[in-house]
């Protein structure tokens, strides 16, 4: 019974968190991207990160460190993502700064977490096109 109540409470938090992310954070980040407002983008993604750490508790020390280190190294924004099983972290930076950030970030992670870093991969990717409908379906 005790564990069922805890599971129900945890589920309620996750549902509320998903609602908040969908109704507040995503629109705020979208507005930030569309208006090229980098401060707003950093704030929106920061909200998402804080909720992942405090409400969902889906982060591990390594992903929390990576997020903070990316910002320290000059990323515009950074956050964990994934299902919370060790997960992943993304960082947003200007294209001209991507190679330096990626190399420096990966090197710093290797020094801070030498064992965990053996299974890590740092790479650069560009954002894709926005959502499109295929075959005229809407």
């Amino acid at each position: 019974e005790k564990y069922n109540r805890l599971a129900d409470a945890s589920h309620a938090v996750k549902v509320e968190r998903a609602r908040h992310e969908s109704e507040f954070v995503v629109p705020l980040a979208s507005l930030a991207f569309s208006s090229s407002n980098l401060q707003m983008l950093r704030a929106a993604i920061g909200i998402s990160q804080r909720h992942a750490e405090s409400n969902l508790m889906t982060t591990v020390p390594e992903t929390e460190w990576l997020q903070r280190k990316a910002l320290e190294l000059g990323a515009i924004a950074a956050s964990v993502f994934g299902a919370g099983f060790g997960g992943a972290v993304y960082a947003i930076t200007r294209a001209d700064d991507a190679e330096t950030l990626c190399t420096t970030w990966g090197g710093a992670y290797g020094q801070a977490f030498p064992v965990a870093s053996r299974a890590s991969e740092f790479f650069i990717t560009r954002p894709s096109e926005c959502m499109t409908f295929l075959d005229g379906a809407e």
Side-chain angles (χ1 to χ4, degrees), residues 19-40:
R19 185 195 65 74
H20 183 266
E21 189 88 8
S22 297
E23 295 179 7
F24 178 71
V25 176
V26 170
L28 184 61
S30 178
L31 177 62
F33 272 117
S34 67
S35 63
S36 299
N37 187 328
L38 302 182
Q39 289 178 324
M40 183 188 299

Side-chain angles (χ1 to χ4, degrees), residues 6-7 9 28-30 42 44 54 56 58 62 76 79 85 88 100 102 109 114-115 124-126 128 133 135:
L6 287 173
L28 184 61
S30 178
R42 186 178 186 135
S54 63
L56 295 178
T58 55
E62 292 87 345
I76 294 164
S79 184
F85 303 105
T100 300
C102 188
Y109 183 64
V115 175
I124 299 168
T125 186
R126 297 185 61 82
S128 67
F133 293 102
D135 300 322

Side-chain angles (χ1 to χ4, degrees), residues 18-108:
R19 185 195 65 74
H20 183 266
E21 189 88 8
S22 297
E23 295 179 7
F24 178 71
V25 176
V26 170
L28 184 61
S30 178
L31 177 62
F33 272 117
S34 67
S35 63
S36 299
N37 187 328
L38 302 182
Q39 289 178 324
M40 183 188 299
L41 180 63
R42 186 178 186 135
I45 292 173
I47 291 167
S48 184
Q49 173 70 28
R50 285 189 298 281
H51 282 286
E53 289 180 18
S54 63
N55 295 343
L56 295 178
M57 296 177 280
T58 55
T59 61
V60 295
E62 292 87 345
T63 58
E64 292 175 11
W65 183 92
L66 278 164
Q67 186 268 345
R68 287 171 178 79
K69 190 65 174 181
L71 296 177
E72 179 185 311
L73 293 171
I76 294 164
S79 184
V80 300
F81 70 99
F85 303 105
V89 179
Y90 68 88
I92 298 171
T93 192
R94 296 182 188 281
D96 292 347
D97 300 329
E99 188 67 43
T100 300
L101 177 63
C102 188
T103 302
T104 306
W105 196 28

